[in-house]
Tab-separated table of all heavy atoms in Angstrom:
chain	number	residue	atom	x	y	z
A	3	THR	N	119.238	57.913	138.176
A	3	THR	CA	118.674	57.352	136.939
A	3	THR	C	117.204	57.162	137.088
A	3	THR	O	116.736	56.568	138.070
A	3	THR	CB	119.381	55.926	136.583
A	3	THR	OG1	120.799	56.082	136.903
A	3	THR	CG2	119.102	55.551	135.191
A	4	THR	N	116.557	57.595	136.062
A	4	THR	CA	115.070	57.486	136.119
A	4	THR	C	114.631	56.091	135.797
A	4	THR	O	115.224	55.514	134.817
A	4	THR	CB	114.400	58.445	135.176
A	4	THR	OG1	115.116	58.631	134.049
A	4	THR	CG2	114.117	59.956	135.845
A	5	ARG	N	113.526	55.653	136.365
A	5	ARG	CA	113.050	54.342	136.095
A	5	ARG	C	112.121	54.430	134.828
A	5	ARG	O	111.315	55.387	134.771
A	5	ARG	CB	112.283	53.789	137.231
A	5	ARG	CG	113.011	53.333	138.419
A	5	ARG	CD	112.105	53.034	139.582
A	5	ARG	NE	112.656	51.860	140.308
A	5	ARG	CZ	112.168	50.673	140.103
A	5	ARG	NH1	111.241	50.449	139.356
A	5	ARG	NH2	112.754	49.701	140.797
A	6	THR	N	112.477	53.678	133.839
A	6	THR	CA	111.624	53.814	132.655
A	6	THR	C	111.185	52.387	132.238
A	6	THR	O	111.830	51.489	132.510
A	6	THR	CB	112.351	54.426	131.557
A	6	THR	OG1	113.554	53.788	131.394
A	6	THR	CG2	112.623	55.871	131.721
A	7	ARG	N	110.107	52.334	131.475
A	7	ARG	CA	109.551	51.092	131.042
A	7	ARG	C	110.216	50.692	129.671
A	7	ARG	O	110.619	49.578	129.417
A	7	ARG	CB	108.050	50.967	130.845
A	7	ARG	CG	107.338	50.609	132.176
A	7	ARG	CD	105.863	50.827	131.955
A	7	ARG	NE	105.376	51.727	132.940
A	7	ARG	CZ	104.160	52.358	133.033
A	7	ARG	NH1	103.322	52.020	131.920
A	7	ARG	NH2	103.834	53.229	133.887
A	8	GLY	N	110.376	51.704	128.793
A	8	GLY	CA	110.864	51.446	127.491
A	8	GLY	C	112.392	51.396	127.523
A	8	GLY	O	113.044	51.811	128.418
A	9	ALA	N	112.900	50.746	126.456
A	9	ALA	CA	114.305	50.712	126.421
A	9	ALA	C	114.949	51.980	125.776
A	9	ALA	O	114.206	52.744	125.091
A	9	ALA	CB	114.845	49.475	125.565
A	10	GLY	N	116.218	52.337	126.060
A	10	GLY	CA	116.895	53.419	125.341
A	10	GLY	C	116.327	54.830	125.826
A	10	GLY	O	116.604	55.759	125.154
A	11	ALA	N	115.606	54.842	126.966
A	11	ALA	CA	115.161	56.142	127.409
A	11	ALA	C	115.909	56.736	128.534
A	11	ALA	O	115.468	57.502	129.304
A	11	ALA	CB	113.655	55.959	127.834
A	12	THR	N	117.148	56.292	128.684
A	12	THR	CA	118.084	56.701	129.829
A	12	THR	C	118.506	58.105	129.646
A	12	THR	O	118.961	58.736	130.553
A	12	THR	CB	119.150	55.759	129.951
A	12	THR	OG1	119.778	55.510	128.701
A	12	THR	CG2	118.727	54.488	130.661
A	13	SER	N	118.450	58.734	128.386
A	13	SER	CA	119.112	60.054	128.149
A	13	SER	C	118.196	61.143	128.946
A	13	SER	O	117.045	60.865	129.117
A	13	SER	CB	119.215	60.298	126.790
A	13	SER	OG	117.969	60.205	126.127
A	14	PHE	N	118.846	62.275	129.100
A	14	PHE	CA	117.991	63.283	129.783
A	14	PHE	C	117.186	64.053	128.887
A	14	PHE	O	117.363	64.013	127.634
A	14	PHE	CB	118.953	64.147	130.516
A	14	PHE	CG	119.744	63.486	131.614
A	14	PHE	CD1	121.144	63.319	131.464
A	14	PHE	CD2	119.147	62.943	132.684
A	14	PHE	CE1	121.853	62.790	132.461
A	14	PHE	CE2	119.873	62.273	133.673
A	14	PHE	CZ	121.205	62.099	133.537
A	15	GLY	N	116.208	64.873	129.309
A	15	GLY	CA	115.519	65.765	128.467
A	15	GLY	C	114.224	64.995	127.972
A	15	GLY	O	114.124	63.773	128.204
Side-chain angles (χ1 to χ4, degrees):
Chain A
T3 317
T4 34
R5 287 171 143 261
T6 50
R7 267 174 244 166
T12 45
S13 60
F14 299 113

